[in-house]
């Protein structure tokens, strides 16, 4: 224990130099914790959204449907397969869907969509789309209004069902937010004027307001002026079971928005029984079975079980259906190594430099210790412990500070509003809630100790090569 005590005291002989290194390590570890927290939060959010909004844990399709998405390529041996699914102990819920490619039209625009024919009540048990209805965006479909259609904010924009109007109500809301009177006066000129696209509205704002005014009030004006054309009719066109084009009319009941604009741009939801009236045959077509499990780790086991009774159907897990989320989830430990490894490498040079200076200043003292009998193993142990203490003090302070900051940001979130559209185009949320798992701190501690030991080798080697007689003659 004596050698530990000596090493700890030596650490504080030059307080200023030691504190500089400790502060550098602390800042480096805080940066690493925040960086990993943001990355972990993003990946967790992407994984959650991919499973609970888009693909669930397991999906089943007719193998031919995956190659050629024809309307008549439904799931084979449906009854036998669903009996097998319902008997799974891992099952949390399942839904069947009709899935048809179609063209959606309004009087002002058109776009390609995938129509999901669903049972709204059962769909709530497996997906969280019903939680994604935007403020002022209506409601989720129900059985009482079978001709309703749920579309996304992105699709509403493409079909010109998204508009901006400055009304008395909008101005009243802005007053409540204490927006300046001169800004409100400029808006009065555009009261009740309808802007059909976000681009037109943004252009008007740029012409009326300077950058400072837009930074202060632009987001609120845009948010309050947004108006969806709910209950508007959408005409959908697709081929029925005979290959004949058919058309149907649905009314917009709600607008949803997830963190993945690629999914939002195509997915619309209608009542499956209402959709069946259009394509004929009288029965609801099952193109897709989505299965939610109690534990995500059981996806591979469930796939293997269902593959034995699939008989012409393809059983796929979330890793195959959302490979981007799976790749980032599986390689998270690699990201840990990269982020913390770069930080540790940069800090190692500072630690080595500090310890070399310490050895240079204590040449005579080290020679004295050797002369009175301290062996080289103990000299090496002392220098290594000094380096480990120096690094660990900064690391503990950095991990604690980083954890506190991450906990706060994990509740408030970090909004990357400037890059929001870009992130959402890749399936990542614009607002991220950082989170750091306990295992990461264990990993950082191991990396810090390893870095300290490696950094101590050069200074220790220099000390061990000292000649006691020459060292004693040093001034």
């Amino acid at each position: 224990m004596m050698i530990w005590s000596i090493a700890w005291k030596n650490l504080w002989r030059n307080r200023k130099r030691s504190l500089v290194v400790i502060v550098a390590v602390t800042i480096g570890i805080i940066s690493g914790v925040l960086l990993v927290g943001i990355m972990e939060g993003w990946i967790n959010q992407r994984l959650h959204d991919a499973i609970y909004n888009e693909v669930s844990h397991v999906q089943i399709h007719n193998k031919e449907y995956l190659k050629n998405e024809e309307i008549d390529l439904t799931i084979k041996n449906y009854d036998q397969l669903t009996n097998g699914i319902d008997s799974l102990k891992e099952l949390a819920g399942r839904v069947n869907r009709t899935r048809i490619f179609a063209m959606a039209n309004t009087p002002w625009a058109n776009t390609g969509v995938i129509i999901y024919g669903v049972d709204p009540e059962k769909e709530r048990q497996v997906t969280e789309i019903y939680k994604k209805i935007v403020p002022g965006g209506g409601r989720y479909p129900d059985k009482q209004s079978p001709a309703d259609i749920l579309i996304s904010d992105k699709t509403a924009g493409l079909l010109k069902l998204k508009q901006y109007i400055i009304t008395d109500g909008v101005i009243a809301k802005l007053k409540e937010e204490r927006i300046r009177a001169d800004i409100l006066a400029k808006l009065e000129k555009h009261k009740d004027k309808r802007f059909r696209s976000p681009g037109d509205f943004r252009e008007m704002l740029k012409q009326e307001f300077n950058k400072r005014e837009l930074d202060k009030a632009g987001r609120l004006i845009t948010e309050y002026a947004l108006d969806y054309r709910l209950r508007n009719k959408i005409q959908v066109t697709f081929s029925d079971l005979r290959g004949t084009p058919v058309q149907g009319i649905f009314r917009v009941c709600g607008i949803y928005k997830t963190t993945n604009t690629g999914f939002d741009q195509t997915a619309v939801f209608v009542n499956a029984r209402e959709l069946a009236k259009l394509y004929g045959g009288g029965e609801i077509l099952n193109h897709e079975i989505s299965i939610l499990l109690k534990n995500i780790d059981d996806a591979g086991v469930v796939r293997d079980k269902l593959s034995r009774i699939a008989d012409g159907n393809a059983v796929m897990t979330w890793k195959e259906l959302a490979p981007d989320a799976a790749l980032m989830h599986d390689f998270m430990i690699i990201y840990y190594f990269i982020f913390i490894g770069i930080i540790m490498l940069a800090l190692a040079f500072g630690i080595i430099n500090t310890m070399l200076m310490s050895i240079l200043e204590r040449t005579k003292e080290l020679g004295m210790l050797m002369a009175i009998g301290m062996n080289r193993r103990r000299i090496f142990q002392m220098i290594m412990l000094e380096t480990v203490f120096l690094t660990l003090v900064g690391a503990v302070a950095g991990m604690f500070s980083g954890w506190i900051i991450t906990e706060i940001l994990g509740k408030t979130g970090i909004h990357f509003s400037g890059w929001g559209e870009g992130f959402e185009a890749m399936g990542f949320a614009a607002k991220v809630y950082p989170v750091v798992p306990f295992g990461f701190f264990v990993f950082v501690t191991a990396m810090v100790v390893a870095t300290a030991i490696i950094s101590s080798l050069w200074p220790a080697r220099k000390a061990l090569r000292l000649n006691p007689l020459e060292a004693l003659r040093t001034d």
Side-chain angles (χ1 to χ4, degrees):
M1 287 300 293
M2 183 180 291
I3 200 74
W4 289 63
S5 176
I6 294 172
W8 177 255
K9 289 175 182 173
N10 285 341
L11 182 65
W12 301 108
R13 290 170 67 174
N14 190 328
R15 288 175 182 273
K16 186 180 288 183
R17 189 172 59 207
S18 295
L19 284 173
V20 167
V21 177
I22 288 169
V23 169
V25 173
T26 302
I27 293 172
I29 295 297
I30 290 174
S31 305
V33 171
L34 280 178
L35 199 59
V36 169
I38 291 171
M39 197 73 187
E40 185 86 30
W42 248 325
I43 292 174
N44 287 350
Q45 286 174 239
R46 172 67 191 124
L47 185 59
H48 179 92
D49 292 345
I51 289 173
Y52 289 94
N53 295 337
E54 302 167 26
V55 299
S56 301
H57 290 122
V58 177
Q59 279 193 357
I60 302 175
H61 304 88
N62 184 318
K63 285 182 179 175
E64 296 302 317
Y65 180 81
L66 295 176
K67 301 174 188 172
N68 183 15
E69 291 155 323
E70 297 285 347
I71 190 172
D72 58 335
L73 296 174
T74 56
I75 289 175
K76 294 181 178 178
N77 297 320
Y78 176 77
D79 291 335
Q80 180 188 346
L81 193 56
T82 51
N83 287 338
I85 295 170
D86 292 339
S87 67
L88 291 169
K89 63 180 181 183
E90 298 89 351
L91 182 68
R94 71 167 173 88
V95 290
N96 313 322
R97 298 183 185 124
T98 306
R99 192 169 180 269
I100 296 175
F101 287 76
M103 179 64 73
N105 302 280
T106 63
W108 310 282
N110 59 68
T111 185
V113 295
I114 300 174
I115 304 176
Y116 287 91
V118 299
D119 180 327
E121 295 306 315
K122 290 183 178 177
E123 196 71 19
R124 284 171 179 263
Q125 299 170 14
V126 173
T127 69
E128 294 183 351
I129 295 293
Y130 71 95
K131 294 181 180 176
K132 304 296 180 182
I133 305 297
V134 299
R139 57 173 175 76
Y140 193 71
D142 55 37
K143 290 183 178 177
Q144 284 68 45
S145 304
D148 283 349
I149 185 169
L150 177 71
I151 65 174
S152 69
D153 172 82
K154 182 71 176 179
T155 304
L158 293 171
L159 293 175
K160 307 290 185 188
L161 298 176
K162 191 175 170 182
Q163 59 188 5
Y164 296 84
I165 309 175
I166 304 296
T167 62
D168 289 334
V170 171
I171 292 178
K173 285 182 181 177
L174 292 172
K175 281 182 181 175
E176 290 176 8
E177 296 286 348
R178 298 181 180 179
I179 300 299
R180 290 197 330 246
D182 58 324
I183 294 177
L184 297 179
K186 290 180 182 178
L187 283 178
E188 288 282 352
K189 292 191 295 184
H190 299 278
K191 199 165 74 173
D192 296 330
K193 185 178 177 183
R194 199 181 299 269
F195 295 88
R196 294 283 186 190
S197 74
D200 293 343
F201 190 69
R202 278 199 298 267
E203 190 60 32
M204 180 277 287
L205 292 178
K206 283 182 183 176
Q207 290 177 1
E208 287 293 340
F209 303 105
N210 57 42
K211 187 176 183 307
R212 195 170 179 180
E213 290 170 332
L214 281 178
D215 289 342
K216 184 175 181 60
R219 185 183 63 80
L220 284 176
I221 294 172
T222 304
E223 184 181 322
Y224 291 148
L226 176 60
D227 178 62
Y228 294 106
R229 296 168 70 94
L230 296 174
R231 306 311 301 167
N232 201 87
K233 292 178 182 177
I234 291 181
Q235 182 186 63
V236 296
T237 306
F238 59 90
S239 297
D240 67 6
L241 286 167
R242 296 184 301 276
T244 305
V246 293
Q247 295 177 333
I249 301 293
F250 294 89
R251 284 189 182 274
V252 178
C253 67
I255 308 289
Y256 73 91
K257 188 175 189 301
T258 73
T259 56
N260 186 349
T261 52
F263 172 81
D264 288 2
Q265 188 169 337
T266 56
V268 302
F269 298 87
V270 301
N271 190 296
R273 195 155 295 285
E274 192 69 15
L275 188 61
K277 294 178 184 174
L278 295 177
Y279 54 69
E283 292 185 1
I284 294 175
L285 300 178
N286 295 307
H287 296 115
E288 180 175 289
I289 299 178
S290 270
I291 302 168
L292 193 67
L293 304 176
K294 295 172 185 171
N295 189 334
I296 189 173
D297 297 330
D298 292 332
V301 175
V302 169
R303 178 195 55 197
D304 295 342
K305 286 181 181 176
L306 295 178
S307 294
R308 296 187 198 114
I309 57 172
D311 190 24
N313 297 307
V315 184
M316 304 168 73
T317 68
W318 64 272
K319 288 193 173 185
E320 297 157 282
L321 297 162
D324 59 320
L327 186 71
M328 300 194 77
H329 177 265
D330 291 347
F331 281 82
M332 195 61 213
I333 190 68
I334 303 295
Y335 299 137
Y336 286 0
F337 269 111
I338 293 173
F339 294 149
I340 300 302
I342 292 172
I343 291 170
M344 286 293 110
L345 182 65
L347 291 175
F349 288 104
I351 296 166
I352 291 171
N353 183 56
T354 300
M355 292 309 297
L356 283 173
M357 289 176 65
S358 175
I359 298 298
L360 186 65
E361 288 174 358
R362 294 153 54 197
T363 301
K364 190 170 185 176
E365 177 188 319
L366 290 170
M368 179 70 74
L369 290 172
M370 291 178 182
I372 62 175
M374 182 179 271
N375 61 37
R376 292 179 184 274
R377 184 175 65 81
R378 285 185 174 274
I379 295 285
F380 176 82
Q381 191 179 1
M382 182 181 71
I383 293 170
M384 189 189 70
L385 284 173
E386 287 179 27
T387 315
V388 171
F389 287 152
L390 185 68
T391 315
L392 267 183
V393 170
V396 170
M399 284 190 284
F400 182 73
S401 304
W403 175 73
I404 295 290
I405 295 170
T406 306
E407 283 292 302
I408 294 169
L409 293 176
K411 290 181 173 61
T412 61
I414 305 173
H415 204 302
F416 295 92
S417 54
W419 302 280
E421 288 188 16
F423 284 133
E424 289 177 355
M426 296 186 292
F428 291 92
K431 190 172 186 178
V432 61
Y433 295 87
V435 58
V436 180
F438 175 76
F440 172 72
F441 292 111
V442 176
F443 172 81
V444 171
T445 304
M447 286 283 283
V448 166
V449 172
T451 303
I453 291 174
I454 293 170
S455 301
S456 70
L457 294 179
W458 189 0
R461 181 172 175 271
K462 193 171 184 62
L464 295 178
R465 296 180 67 180
L466 289 174
N467 184 313
L469 292 177
E470 292 179 2
L472 284 171
R473 286 198 289 268
T474 305
D475 291 332

